[in-house]
């Protein structure tokens, strides 16, 4: 007998009343994720390393009626992440959604790159992801008060922005591709640890080029980078931050309860040709 609950369909994309923690909130993708949560009625804790930038964001969000706060933390430092989680729980009582949207790259040929520079990228894009995932997952599990085998999606939703570069190499990217590929595999393994037992969905979004301060130059139609991308972008354009929002809300809501451990393509079809 096939059945479909009308109320589920009508509410499956809702994040209203949820508590969302967003890392890299001062960046292009973190900001739109955080704002989208806020527009849809979630309470949002914004984090990054720069307190002044976070305060500006809080002022902007509050002017639009979004319930939010900020806490500055370096995601690669355990003590910072523990303090961030404590502050979030003290302020809003729990964490329902985690969006990890911080990251860094400094492209360099492996022959010229120092081991320290490589390690810095690995820490910014992989170790820090592990630390935030680990401690937020512990918080989400603690919120279950000992319950196990809870329905999928009811223990929490975790979305990590990795990259299409997690799947393809590129000159100068031995740090970035390695760390993003590692993050995708971390998410796959974490899903095996957490999803069935604790109802926590954890997924990655793998974007190609989205407009940000750092990528703005790639949007020049005269540039060789833009023209090369257009040879491999079936959708015929590069991405705007708003293109990212639908995926974030989908993976943060009950609409995606059966999806976990996935590295979701968000590339305009970059990998299909
Ligand atoms: P932005 O450069 O706009 O923002 C980066 C964010 O990460 C900022 O909030 C910054 O805040 C934080 N950050 C920077 N360096 C570090 C570091 N060393 N350690 C921890 N945090 C750091 O990035 P986007 O919003 O464009 O990208 C977000 C994520 O998406 C990143 O992981 C990026 O790799 C990935 N991505 C982006 C693409 C794009 O085209 N935009 C394409 C593919 C993947 P603060 O310095 O205050 O801590």
């Amino acid at each position: 007998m096939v059945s479909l609950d009308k109320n589920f369909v009508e509410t499956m994309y809702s994040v209203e009343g949820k508590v969302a923690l967003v890392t890299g909130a001062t960046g292009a993708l973190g900001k739109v994720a955080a704002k989208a949560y806020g527009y849809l009625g979630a309470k949002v804790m914004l984090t990054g390393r720069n307190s002044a930038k976070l305060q500006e964001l809080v002022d902007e969000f509050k002017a639009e009626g979004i319930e939010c706060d900020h806490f500055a933390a370096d995601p690669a430092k355990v003590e910072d992440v523990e303090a961030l989680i404590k502050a979030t729980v003290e302020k809003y009582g729990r964490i329902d959604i985690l969006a990890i949207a911080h990251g860094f790259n400094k492209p360099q040929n492996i022959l010229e790159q120092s081991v320290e520079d490589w390690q810095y990228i690995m820490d910014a894009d992989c170790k820090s992801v592990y630390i935030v995932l680990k401690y937020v997952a512990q918080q989400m599990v603690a919120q279950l008060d000992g319950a196990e085998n809870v329905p999928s999606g009811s223990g929490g939703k975790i979305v990590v922005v990795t990259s299409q570069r997690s799947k393809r190499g590129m000159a100068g990217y031995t740090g970035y591709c390695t760390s993003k590929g590692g993050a995708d595999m971390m998410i796959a393994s974490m899903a095996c640890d957490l999803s069935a037992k604790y109802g926590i969905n954890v997924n990655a979004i793998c974007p190609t080029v989205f407009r940000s301060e750092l990528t703005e130059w790639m949007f020049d139609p005269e540039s060789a980078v833009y023209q090369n991308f257009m040879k491999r972008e079936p959708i015929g354009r590069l991405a705007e931050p708003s293109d990212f929002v639908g995926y974030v809300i989908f993976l943060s809501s009950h609409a995606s309860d059966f999806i976990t451990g996935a590295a979701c393509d968000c590339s305009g079809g970059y990998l299909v040709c």
Side-chain angles (χ1 to χ4, degrees):
M1 175 74 168
V2 176
S3 68
L4 182 63
D5 181 345
K6 183 169 182 248
N7 183 53
F8 172 72
V9 176
E10 286 172 346
T11 59
M12 66 184 177
Y13 289 103
S14 175
V15 293
E16 190 171 7
K18 302 287 183 188
V19 178
L21 170 61
V22 181
T23 77
T26 52
L29 299 183
K31 179 177 174 177
V32 292
K35 209 168 218 190
Y37 291 139
Y39 282 156
L40 293 173
K43 298 164 203 156
V44 194
M45 180 60 90
L46 309 162
T47 185
R49 296 167 307 163
N50 185 320
S51 196
K53 277 194 193 170
L54 287 166
Q55 184 59 59
E56 275 176 35
L57 212 55
V58 165
D59 293 343
E60 179 186 328
F61 280 27
K62 283 195 168 162
E64 294 201 61
I66 291 171
E67 191 171 350
C68 63
D69 202 350
H70 73 88
F71 190 91
D74 183 338
K77 292 187 179 152
V78 169
E79 61 276 19
D80 279 27
V81 172
E82 287 180 318
L84 166 66
I85 291 167
K86 187 165 178 275
T88 308
V89 173
E90 273 171 13
K91 176 86 185 186
Y92 295 124
R94 55 188 290 115
I95 300 172
D96 301 300
I97 298 167
L98 167 67
I100 296 186
H102 67 269
F104 172 79
N105 192 20
K106 181 183 172 190
Q108 262 182 314
N109 186 300
I110 189 168
L111 299 176
E112 285 125 36
Q113 186 178 44
S114 68
V115 174
E116 290 72 23
D117 276 353
W118 180 83
Q119 186 67 58
Y120 186 82
I121 298 168
M122 293 299 294
D123 288 356
D125 292 323
C126 198
K127 181 183 170 191
S128 62
V129 173
Y130 173 79
I131 291 171
V132 179
L133 286 176
K134 174 180 170 62
Y135 288 96
V136 171
Q138 284 180 349
Q139 171 61 32
M140 286 176 168
V141 169
Q143 290 165 187
L144 293 172
D145 288 329
E148 289 187 0
N149 304 318
V150 300
S152 57
S154 60
K157 294 278 179 178
I158 297 177
V159 186
V160 184
V161 188
T162 63
S163 172
Q164 242 356 299
R165 288 291 154 208
S166 64
K167 298 177 172 55
R168 304 183 84 84
M170 188 167 170
Y173 273 45
T174 49
Y176 192 75
C177 293
T178 310
S179 58
K180 294 295 189 177
D184 276 0
M185 287 313 295
M186 192 192 307
I187 288 152
S189 301
M190 190 178 170
C192 300
D193 279 344
L194 298 180
S195 296
K197 200 164 178 185
Y198 303 113
I200 298 172
N201 296 72
V202 50
N203 292 293
I205 299 179
C206 307
T208 43
V209 178
F210 274 68
R211 194 186 297 274
S212 75
E213 264 176 48
L214 290 184
T215 61
E216 185 70 48
W217 65 277
M218 296 185 189
F219 284 71
D220 175 1
E222 302 302 319
S223 77
V225 169
Y226 180 87
Q227 288 169 8
N228 278 335
F229 263 107
M230 282 314 106
K231 288 178 196 154
R232 296 210 37 203
E233 279 286 8
I235 212 150
R237 64 179 176 85
L238 298 179
E240 300 298 331
S242 56
D243 290 318
F244 170 75
V245 167
Y247 236 143
V248 171
I249 298 304
F250 171 62
L251 291 176
S252 303
S253 63
H254 286 303
S256 60
D257 279 353
F258 196 65
I259 299 170
T260 198
C264 302
D265 178 81
C266 189
S267 70
Y270 186 69
L271 292 184
V272 304
C273 63

